[in-house]
Amino acid sequence: SCFLRHARSRNYVSESNVCRLESVPLDFGDYHPLKPISVTESKTKKMSRKGSTSSTSSSSSSSMMDPLSSVLDGTDPLSLFAAAADPVTTTASMDGARKKRDKDDISAVGSDFEPWSSKRGEILARYTTTEKLSINLYMGSEKGKASAGGSAVSEKVRTRLEELDDLEEGSQKELLNLTQQDYMNRIEELNQSLKDAWSSDQKVKALKIVIQCSKLLSDTTVIQFYPSKFVLITDILDTFGKLVYERILSMCMDNRASLSDSFSPETVNDTAKETCLNWFFKIASIRELIPRFYVEAAILKCNKFLSKTGISECLPRLTSMIRGIGDPLVAVYARAYLCRVGMEVAPQLKQSLNKNFFDFLLTFKQIHGDTVQNQLVVQCVEIPLYLTLYSPAIDWILQCIAYHAPEVLLTEMMERCKKLGNNALLLNSVMSAFRAEFIAARSMDFIGMIKECDESGFPKHLLFRSLGLNLALADPPENDRLHILNEAWKVITKLKNPQDYINCAEVWVEYTCRHFTKREVNTVLADVIKHMTPDRAFEDAYPQLQSIIRKVITYICDFSLLFSVEKFLPFLDMFQKESVRVEVCKCIMESFIKHQQESTKDPVILNALLHICKTMHDSVNALTLEDEKRMLAALINGFIKMVSFGRDFEQQLSFYVEARSMFCNLEPVLVQLIHSVNQLAMETRKVMRGNHSRKTAVFVRACVAFCFITIPSLSSFFARLNLYLHSGQVALANQCLSQADAFFKAAVSLVPEVPKMISIDGKMRPSDAFLLEFLCNFFSTLLVVPDHPEQGVLFLVRGLLNVIQDYTWEDNSDDKVRIYTNVLHLLSAMTQETYIYHVDKVDSNDTLYGGDSKFLTEINKLCETVIAQILDHLKTLGKEETLKRQSQLALYFFNTIVAHGDLRNNKLNQLSVNLWNLAQKHGFADTKTMIKTLEYIKRRSQQPEMGHLVDLALRLPLQSRT
């Protein structure tokens, strides 16, 4: 074979011009492809094939047709939907109405009203107990079940009446010594029993379960668990109320449509009304006050079926009923439940909610009465702890009252609190429930009230914490800001208990960062360090300390300013638990990457962030997850990319050397450093415009040496291969020829070690495709690499071919032949008088050898060896199961000869014909591909000096698959 001796001479410039797309002048007129097209609503409802012009374009060029409109026959589908959806004829389906009614509590009020569901989790988490609890479970009785016989209606009525008599005497089982979790599980079982009883049409049994659960709310034996118990029991009551409402609602439906949301009692049929009344009569027969109140409140919404004024009449009556509850804690939670139901079903009836709260204020003195005090002594509960049990209920009542309330009402509430002697518990709830803007505007008034409060029951620092939470959301008057901070911090700094202190300080740090300079922030941080360092108190306050750091970096985004805060880094030293310290460091680095717009060389920032990044890096060990390593590496890389010393390239390189020594355990960071140093070398070349001085030549060689030393420390084979190639290209561009050779030799020597399988995204994949991609890139570079004067002709290409020859390829893989074919592309390019591309100021082999015949002979020998290898492989594919691969490879090799060979050579011409026939021989060739290939050859034959391809085309027959 004499392929390369007769390789086609290429004129790359003229070939490029021929391949260019033809430029055609086009007169757009008013039309422009980016001009918006407006679609008008279609007035026609008929989609006709001919002449439909219902959709019009705003483009004035009538000759340009919108391709999307043409597909749609000119009718815009959205317009058709709009036309079809006639509001007069469209009726809502039953399911749609049901879904609409099932919206959250907030559907009745605005989205700015915080629903009960968002408070539920916090209450359950806060009010816990280790004491044992007891519960009475309703066991049910056989006579409580509806008889399957269904004899006579009167029999059924009699059974129901007997059940009602037995409503509160159903067999019960008392479970004692339950842990809190057991108790919660039992309540959940009761909730499920309620649903099961309801679905099996045992309505009275369901009612009995609800009554038994409601009774539990009168039990305060484990008083600190009461708020959580209230949450769990009222979940069951809510379920019951919803089931009853949906049941009656379903009875109102006829076959056609459902009731609208704003239905009137007149539209409700008699059966539904009778059932509804029946439920209210059953509940009225409950003897005990607390279950009767709660169960009626649960189905309050059902009054809508009976009369328009039903709810407005019931609310005052239920409010008055609560006066009969003796225990003030039980009573206040009953009021909270009534407010909750009231806000859901009738948020407009604010008057009743206000009356509810004023009733509470009248009975407020009960809290300090003898009965309560005796109960607390028995249970060993201190008064401050007891008062915090009221907070969720009072907070909720006040939130309901304060929602969209006029300023007058809020001011009246403040006055009433003052009349009660500035009771701290009430004041705290007022600050929790009222709008932050209202509180912030009267900050000085509230500080005055806090000062006058009696501290024995409810600690003042909690009041300042509540005030601080409001000031984090709304700004006080500017003149008062410093005075407010001083007044608050006077109280906070005197706190002896570290936990109390940090809970308050955490809130007020945000206020300080928001309104003051770094001096005040520094003072606050110093005070926190002073309070939390003795006895290592910080170990119990990591969440609050983390919160402080987050607030500081949220408000101080300028990191040169942040690190000039003297106490910031000493504050970080308090995070001595490694996992927490790393989380804080990650938080700081994320903020830096997010907010740092320009690169920096500020030594204060660099030293601080290097210390922080080193902390993250040193946390990596054998147990660290890959995802965690990736995240840490990404943060450190983000920092490295932001460091720039401008034209001081030597300082920049010194920084990279230091970073390499600090972050040697994170491979992605080392990869980034290699890329950064390569970029630095190219920046130097750019500054010198390719003409290195002695000093810059030494510098770029130092950069190259950095990469050469660092790459072997990487574990990923393909990272090493690609970086050797990339760094070799950089060395070549900077005229460091011997260094470039060293990189390329290292890459060649690494190829035999490439494993057969590599891990990608946690999955093992064959490496052949990646190796093929790398080698193709490598060949492209080798074209311009000049031969070493002492190493012989094409020593790198020969070395690489030997490695490819010895590499163990998969049995079912043809990648080796594809690589050899790409080698032919390279060798063909090497025979050209002028190469297709060059490296500036580097003489490639076309200049060194100048088309020398000995050089071309060496290339030819290499070429013959490669072709022999390809043909040998094609012969091994002659078995039946590999004929398809043989066909594909034969066509691939044929295309290479047509593209790169001079087909005036008879041997080459004959080889191409043989390959064409082999591709079609067993019917595996794609007919369309073969036709297109032949058409391409015929087109090529019409170009200058390509007439000999006419004869070749005549010798290439097309065979049908049959």
Side-chain angles (χ1 to χ4, degrees):
S1 168
C2 305
F3 176 68
L4 259 297
R5 188 178 300 159
H6 298 281
R8 181 161 76 84
S9 292
R10 310 284 290 271
N11 183 334
Y12 292 118
V13 176
S14 64
E15 282 186 39
S16 173
N17 290 334
V18 169
C19 294
R20 262 196 203 129
L21 290 172
E22 188 180 356
S23 58
V24 180
L26 182 61
D27 180 21
F28 282 108
D30 286 341
Y31 172 80
H32 188 277
L34 298 182
K35 187 173 180 180
I37 294 172
S38 62
V39 179
T40 57
E41 186 179 327
S42 168
K43 296 300 176 197
T44 177
K45 294 191 183 180
K46 187 171 74 176
M47 289 187 71
S48 59
R49 282 274 163 202
K50 294 180 183 176
S52 174
T53 55
S54 54
S55 177
T56 60
S57 165
S58 66
S59 173
S60 60
S61 174
S62 57
S63 61
M64 288 293 178
M65 189 173 183
D66 173 21
L68 296 179
S69 296
S70 63
V71 173
L72 299 165
D73 304 321
T75 306
D76 168 29
L78 297 180
S79 301
L80 287 178
F81 286 135
D86 187 350
V88 178
T89 57
T90 305
T91 55
S93 68
M94 247 165 75
D95 289 346
R98 176 73 51 85
K99 282 177 189 168
K100 195 172 176 186
R101 284 195 191 90
D102 282 351
K103 278 186 186 173
D104 250 340
D105 300 0
I106 55 169
S107 61
V109 288
S111 58
D112 55 340
F113 183 80
E114 188 183 359
W116 174 260
S117 54
S118 66
K119 299 177 181 292
R120 186 180 175 281
E122 186 188 336
I123 295 172
L124 289 173
R126 183 178 170 190
Y127 297 97
T128 58
T129 183
T130 52
E131 290 187 38
K132 297 298 181 186
L133 302 155
S134 63
I135 186 171
N136 289 322
L137 280 183
Y138 168 70
M139 302 303 292
S141 60
E142 285 306 310
K143 66 179 181 178
K145 293 179 182 173
S147 60
S151 51
V153 177
S154 58
E155 183 63 30
K156 192 172 180 181
V157 171
R158 192 182 308 118
T159 308
R160 287 285 169 90
L161 289 170
E162 287 172 5
E163 286 172 350
L164 281 175
D165 291 337
D166 191 38
L167 206 55
E168 293 169 85
E169 285 84 24
S171 61
Q172 295 176 22
K173 176 183 175 187
E174 188 172 17
L175 298 174
L176 304 171
N177 297 326
L178 297 177
T179 64
Q180 181 182 319
Q181 190 55 51
D182 292 338
Y183 190 92
M184 292 168 79
N185 294 341
R186 296 291 181 186
I187 296 291
E188 184 50 45
E189 283 173 21
L190 281 171
N191 202 354
Q192 192 54 48
S193 301
L194 168 65
K195 292 174 186 173
D196 294 343
W198 192 271
S199 59
S200 59
D201 206 30
Q202 298 180 52
K203 303 292 189 294
V204 174
K205 180 182 176 183
L207 180 57
K208 287 182 180 182
I209 292 171
V210 175
I211 292 168
Q212 294 300 334
C213 290
S214 305
K215 283 183 179 180
L216 295 174
L217 289 174
S218 59
D219 174 27
T220 56
T221 47
V222 183
I223 204 161
Q224 62 268 42
F225 184 64
Y226 192 84
S228 291
K229 185 200 286 189
F230 171 79
V231 168
L232 297 169
I233 303 292
T234 51
D235 283 351
I236 296 177
L237 288 164
D238 291 343
T239 303
F240 176 72
K242 191 174 179 183
L243 289 171
V244 173
Y245 184 81
E246 292 295 343
R247 163 87 175 129
I248 299 170
L249 187 68
S250 66
M251 298 172 81
C252 299
M253 312 247 187
D254 56 25
N255 295 328
R256 285 176 292 107
S258 64
L259 287 176
S260 68
D261 272 358
S262 55
F263 67 87
S264 65
E266 291 78 37
T267 58
V268 178
N269 58 44
D270 290 343
T271 310
K273 281 185 177 177
E274 191 178 333
T275 306
C276 186
L277 273 171
N278 188 26
W279 275 111
F280 281 111
F281 291 154
K282 279 180 184 175
I283 291 163
S285 70
I286 300 171
R287 282 195 288 272
E288 289 186 31
L289 172 63
I290 289 176
R292 186 166 74 249
F293 164 79
Y294 272 107
V295 181
E296 183 174 352
I299 66 162
L300 182 67
K301 192 176 181 181
C302 295
N303 277 287
K304 287 169 70 175
F305 297 110
L306 300 175
S307 74
K308 285 182 180 178
T309 57
I311 294 174
S312 58
E313 288 166 3
C314 273
L315 273 173
R317 181 171 55 78
L318 289 170
T319 302
S320 301
M321 277 172 72
I322 299 172
R323 295 175 183 173
I325 299 174
D327 190 311
L329 184 66
V330 178
V332 79
Y333 276 94
R335 295 185 192 285
Y337 187 66
L338 189 59
C339 283
R340 199 169 116 195
V341 177
M343 282 302 280
E344 183 185 344
V345 301
Q348 71 281 4
L349 298 175
K350 276 289 187 67
Q351 203 58 43
S352 297
L353 301 183
N354 296 349
K355 180 174 182 286
N356 192 1
F357 180 67
F358 294 144
D359 267 11
F360 164 69
L361 290 182
L362 290 172
T363 58
F364 190 73
K365 292 172 186 170
Q366 280 183 299
I367 291 175
H368 302 288
D370 291 343
T371 312
V372 172
Q373 298 299 327
N374 295 339
Q375 188 183 12
L376 296 183
V377 170
V378 171
Q379 294 198 33
C380 302
V381 174
E382 297 291 326
I383 191 79
L385 173 63
Y386 175 68
L387 289 178
T388 60
L389 302 179
Y390 283 80
S391 292
I394 300 175
D395 289 356
W396 177 258
I397 294 168
L398 282 169
Q399 181 188 319
C400 295
I401 292 171
Y403 181 66
H404 287 181
E407 296 256 324
V408 181
L409 177 65
L410 302 183
T411 314
E412 185 189 344
M413 293 286 178
M414 277 181 67
E415 292 306 317
R416 292 215 177 203
C417 289
K418 281 182 181 175
K419 282 178 185 172
L420 280 172
N422 282 339
N423 185 278
L425 172 64
L426 272 180
L427 192 56
N428 190 59
S429 292
V430 165
M431 289 192 286
S432 301
F434 285 14
R435 289 193 304 276
E437 294 79 11
F438 178 87
I439 305 293
R442 297 164 178 74
S443 301
M444 293 310 297
D445 292 346
F446 277 98
I447 284 178
M449 290 165 73
I450 292 170
K451 281 181 173 177
E452 291 170 21
C453 275
D454 174 22
E455 203 170 355
S456 61
F458 199 91
K460 273 187 189 176
H461 67 85
L462 290 182
L463 297 174
F464 273 108
R465 186 176 189 277
S466 297
L467 180 61
L469 287 170
N470 281 289
L471 297 181
L473 299 172
D475 299 335
E478 198 167 337
N479 297 337
D480 296 339
R481 287 174 188 175
L482 185 59
H483 187 52
I484 290 168
L485 179 62
N486 289 334
E487 289 291 341
W489 209 260
K490 267 187 220 166
V491 174
I492 295 167
T493 197
K494 287 177 185 171
L495 293 172
K496 297 284 186 284
N497 183 319
Q499 207 59 41
D500 290 344
Y501 171 83
I502 197 65
N503 284 336
C504 285
E506 173 207 349
V507 171
W508 281 89
V509 162
E510 183 165 1
Y511 175 77
T512 312
C513 294
R514 192 166 160 148
H515 298 298
F516 300 100
T517 64
K518 71 169 191 177
R519 189 169 71 87
E520 287 82 4
V521 173
N522 191 57
T523 306
V524 168
L525 293 183
D527 196 59
V528 174
I529 294 169
K530 180 179 146 191
H531 276 79
M532 301 310 291
T533 309
D535 302 324
R536 298 177 70 83
F538 53 76
E539 290 182 344
D540 299 321
Y542 284 138
Q544 292 93 329
L545 294 174
Q546 277 178 277
S547 172
I548 289 174
I549 287 288
R550 274 195 294 271
K551 286 167 182 172
V552 170
I553 60 179
T554 299
Y555 287 96
I556 306 179
C557 301
D558 180 350
F559 274 71
S560 57
L561 182 64
L562 178 67
F563 290 122
S564 67
V565 175
E566 190 185 335
K567 293 296 179 182
F568 183 74
L569 290 176
F571 191 92
L572 290 184
D573 291 338
M574 286 198 291
F575 296 99
Q576 293 188 10
K577 185 180 178 184
E578 187 181 63
S579 59
V580 181
R581 188 166 71 240
V582 171
E583 281 303 315
V584 170
C585 291
K586 277 159 61 174
C587 191
I588 293 169
M589 291 311 301
E590 282 166 5
S591 177
F592 175 77
I593 291 166
K594 181 180 176 183
H595 294 114
Q596 188 72 21
Q597 300 295 325
E598 297 172 0
S599 52
T600 181
K601 61 177 180 179
D602 185 330
V604 176
I605 293 179
L606 296 192
N607 288 332
L609 291 184
L610 274 173
H611 170 70
I612 287 167
C613 289
K614 178 76 173 143
T615 302
M616 294 195 304
H617 169 269
D618 292 348
S619 71
V620 174
N621 56 40
L623 300 177
T624 307
L625 297 172
E626 286 302 316
D627 279 352
E628 178 72 4
K629 286 184 189 175
R630 262 197 296 274
M631 182 187 286
L632 295 176
L635 292 172
I636 295 172
N637 284 344
F639 163 59
I640 288 169
K641 288 177 193 171
M642 292 304 296
V643 176
S644 172
F645 290 89
R647 285 290 184 87
D648 191 349
F649 290 162
E650 289 181 351
Q651 182 70 37
Q652 189 83 32
L653 183 60
S654 298
F655 170 76
Y656 291 143
V657 171
E658 185 184 358
R660 180 179 63 185
S661 67
M662 292 176 81
F663 309 127
C664 54
N665 289 337
L666 287 172
E667 194 158 300
V669 178
L670 294 179
V671 171
Q672 176 60 46
L673 287 169
I674 293 165
H675 283 307
S676 296
V677 170
N678 278 329
Q679 190 178 353
L680 190 60
M682 294 307 287
E683 283 286 326
T684 310
R685 177 180 180 275
K686 184 179 175 183
V687 169
M688 300 303 293
R689 297 181 183 172
N691 299 309
H692 283 300
S693 65
R694 183 177 296 174
K695 185 179 178 184
T696 59
V698 170
F699 177 74
V700 293
R701 280 199 287 275
C703 291
V704 168
F706 175 99
C707 298
F708 194 74
I709 292 165
T710 311
I711 293 171
S713 64
L714 304 176
S715 62
S716 165
F717 276 95
F718 282 99
R720 271 148 66 192
L721 280 173
N722 287 314
L723 285 169
Y724 273 134
L725 177 57
H726 184 224
S727 303
Q729 291 165 345
V730 170
L732 200 60
N734 284 286
Q735 300 120 52
C736 304
L737 300 184
S738 58
Q739 286 87 346
D741 278 350
F743 278 116
F744 297 140
K745 281 182 193 171
V748 170
S749 64
L750 191 60
V751 170
E753 298 175 31
V754 173
K756 296 288 169 287
M757 304 292 283
I758 55 171
S759 175
I760 297 169
D761 296 332
K763 294 180 182 176
M764 298 306 289
R765 300 277 168 82
S767 63
D768 290 3
F770 297 95
L771 186 57
L772 177 63
E773 182 187 356
F774 166 75
L775 289 171
C776 290
N777 285 337
F778 201 178
F779 295 148
S780 302
T781 304
L782 289 179
L783 174 63
V784 291
V785 177
D787 281 343
H788 195 285
E790 297 170 11
Q791 299 279 2
V793 178
L794 302 180
F795 76 102
L796 281 171
V797 177
R798 289 173 188 280
L800 190 52
L801 283 172
N802 290 335
V803 165
I804 294 166
Q805 174 64 27
D806 296 337
Y807 187 79
T808 311
W809 299 88
E810 294 287 331
D811 293 337
N812 61 345
S813 168
D814 298 319
D815 286 334
K816 187 175 181 180
V817 175
R818 295 184 186 279
I819 289 168
Y820 279 145
T821 314
N822 281 307
V823 171
L824 290 180
H825 301 170
L826 168 65
L827 296 173
S828 167
M830 282 181 159
T831 63
Q832 305 302 320
E833 281 184 33
T834 305
Y835 290 171
I836 188 169
Y837 47 81
H838 292 88
V839 176
D840 189 32
K841 296 184 175 54
V842 174
D843 291 333
S844 297
N845 285 341
D846 56 342
T847 308
L848 293 180
Y849 292 109
D852 184 75
S853 58
K854 288 181 183 176
F855 174 64
L856 295 177
T857 304
E858 286 296 326
I859 292 178
N860 191 52
K861 284 179 186 173
L862 269 180
C863 172
E864 288 176 355
T865 309
V866 171
I867 288 178
Q869 291 279 350
I870 294 173
L871 294 175
D872 285 347
H873 186 81
L874 282 171
K875 285 175 189 170
T876 63
L877 298 177
K879 297 172 189 170
E880 190 173 342
E881 63 271 15
T882 54
L883 290 175
K884 186 173 183 181
R885 283 165 56 200
Q886 185 189 55
S887 167
Q888 290 169 341
L889 283 181
L891 185 60
Y892 187 60
F893 190 21
F894 170 83
N895 286 334
T896 294
I897 294 175
V898 171
H900 298 279
D902 187 347
L903 291 166
R904 284 174 290 206
N905 175 278
N906 289 334
K907 286 184 180 177
L908 205 54
N909 202 309
Q910 186 55 49
L911 176 59
S912 63
V913 172
N914 292 345
L915 288 168
W916 176 268
N917 292 330
L918 179 61
Q920 298 187 100
K921 185 174 180 182
H922 298 286
F924 285 106
D926 178 42
T927 311
K928 285 183 181 178
T929 305
M930 303 306 282
I931 292 170
K932 285 183 178 178
T933 306
L934 192 53
E935 285 173 356
Y936 167 73
I937 293 169
K938 287 175 181 174
R939 278 201 309 276
R940 281 270 306 276
S941 68
Q942 294 166 11
Q943 294 173 8
E945 299 181 17
M946 290 289 172
H948 58 281
L949 292 180
V950 175
D951 294 334
L952 176 66
L954 294 172
R955 297 175 64 200
L956 300 177
L958 281 170
Q959 296 175 5
S960 66
R961 287 199 168 208
T962 54

